[in-house]
């Protein structure tokens, strides 16, 4: 096993670990906002780590840059989406209290 392969495997398993941790937290936590927080490690760390593993496996080149860019987009997009969903859930809960 080469050092290159070890780096790829460490990045890959770190990303998979973040995804599994988020999935377990998602099943365990109650409430919309708590579950939204449970998804943060998956979108902010899990997908970018897996993308980094794929990019390192691909070696230097355009494909690796594109893969890293996709991982960055997932990290930023996941954060923005979580903020938007959190605000919408909070507003929905506030409107539900006002009506009841």
């Amino acid at each position: 096993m080469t050092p290159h392969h070890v780096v790829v495997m460490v990045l890959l398993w770190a990303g998979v670990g973040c995804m599994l941790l988020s999935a377990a937290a998602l099943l365990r936590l109650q409430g919309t906002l708590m579950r939204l927080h449970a998804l943060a490690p998956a979108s902010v760390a899990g997908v970018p780590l897996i993308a980094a593993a794929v990019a390192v496996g691909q070696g230097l080149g355009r494909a690796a840059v594109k893969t890293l860019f996709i991982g960055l987009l997932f990290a930023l997009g996941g954060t923005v989406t979580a903020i938007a969903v959190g605000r919408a859930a909070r507003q929905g809960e506030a409107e539900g209290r006002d009506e009841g």
Side-chain angles (χ1 to χ4, degrees):
M1 191 179 281
T2 65
H4 181 265
H5 186 72
V6 171
V7 170
V8 170
M9 294 306 289
V10 167
L11 288 170
L12 181 64
W13 283 108
V16 170
C18 288
M19 300 295 268
L20 291 174
L21 178 67
S22 288
L26 191 63
L27 292 173
R28 180 111 169 97
L29 295 174
Q30 301 295 319
T32 304
L33 295 178
M34 294 296 284
R35 287 183 173 183
L36 192 58
H37 281 287
L39 293 175
S43 63
V44 173
V47 174
L49 282 170
I50 292 171
V54 172
V56 170
Q58 291 171 333
L60 296 175
R62 287 185 180 180
V65 173
K66 290 177 185 178
T67 303
L68 289 174
F69 182 68
I70 291 169
L72 179 66
L73 286 178
F74 266 92
L76 296 175
T79 303
V80 171
T81 302
I83 291 170
V85 170
R87 284 185 182 172
R90 192 177 204 190
Q91 287 176 352
E93 289 174 0
E95 290 174 4
R97 278 185 245 140
D98 290 344
E99 292 175 3

